[in-house]
């Protein structure tokens, strides 16, 4: 009977150790989850700032000009509504015609996107945001 009692005590000790280990692991997992949540929040905030600040419109406008230049999306990002509407109209109407107008507008978007991305931040800001130069 004492062997059974010792075995029972040993099992209870192991069970207590397992419970304590599980609690420590759960606490550590909770800490790591909180750290990950904070890091994700910081990253989201940084990304939001990167794409909404005036000095970083260059990257957004450049990428959109290259990818969606035929729709004039980059013009809207820079605040050129009239030019954006012109490019979007020509791009969409060109799809229904022979496609040549869409190709031309796409090339314009590609060229503008490359120009945006190759300019310095200061030069881009002075030319397209402060200077309000809508084309090339």
């Amino acid at each position: 009977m004492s062997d059974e009692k010792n075995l029972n005590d040993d099992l209870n000790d192991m069970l207590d150790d397992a419970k304590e280990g599980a609690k420590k692991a759960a606490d550590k997992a909770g800490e790591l989850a909180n750290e990950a949540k904070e890091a994700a929040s910081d990253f989201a905030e940084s990304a939001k700032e990167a794409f909404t600040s005036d000095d970083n419109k260059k990257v957004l406008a450049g990428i959109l000009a290259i990818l969606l230049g035929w729709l004039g999306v980059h013009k809207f990002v820079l605040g050129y509504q009239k030019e954006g509407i012109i490019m979007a109209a020509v791009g969409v109407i060109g799809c229904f015609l022979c496609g040549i107008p869409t190709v031309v507008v796409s090339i314009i978007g590609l060229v503008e996107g490359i120009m945006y991305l190759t300019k310095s931040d200061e030069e881009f800001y002075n030319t397209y945001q402060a200077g309000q130069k809508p084309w090339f």
Side-chain angles (χ1 to χ4, degrees):
M1 190 139 336
S2 75
D3 286 340
E4 286 180 22
K5 185 174 181 184
N6 287 339
L7 186 58
N8 192 23
D9 289 343
D10 288 344
L11 288 174
N12 283 334
D13 288 343
M14 283 195 256
L15 184 60
D16 289 341
D17 289 345
K19 286 179 183 177
E20 186 178 321
K23 183 177 178 347
K24 285 181 182 178
D27 291 344
K28 184 66 175 177
E31 289 174 17
L32 292 173
N34 286 336
E35 288 176 14
K37 189 185 294 185
E38 288 176 19
S41 177
D42 291 345
F43 176 77
E45 190 65 33
S46 296
K48 182 179 177 184
E49 288 175 13
F51 283 106
T52 57
S53 65
D54 285 342
D55 58 340
N56 284 323
K57 281 187 179 180
K58 175 180 98 168
V59 175
L60 181 61
I63 291 171
L64 288 174
I66 292 170
L67 297 177
L68 299 172
W70 68 278
L71 288 174
V73 176
H74 60 291
K75 297 293 188 182
F76 292 107
V77 168
L78 294 174
Y80 304 133
Q81 280 75 26
K82 180 175 71 174
E83 291 80 3
I85 292 170
I86 291 169
M87 288 187 80
V90 171
V92 171
I93 291 170
C95 287
F96 295 109
L97 299 174
C98 60
I100 293 174
T102 303
V103 172
V104 171
V105 175
S106 296
I107 292 171
I108 291 171
L110 178 66
V111 169
E112 287 184 333
I114 293 170
M115 289 175 62
Y116 295 166
L117 295 173
T118 57
K119 290 187 180 294
S120 69
D121 289 344
E122 182 179 342
E123 187 178 9
F124 175 84
Y125 179 80
N126 289 334
T127 304
Y128 298 107
Q129 291 180 268
Q132 295 290 305
K133 182 180 178 189
W135 299 103
F136 295 102

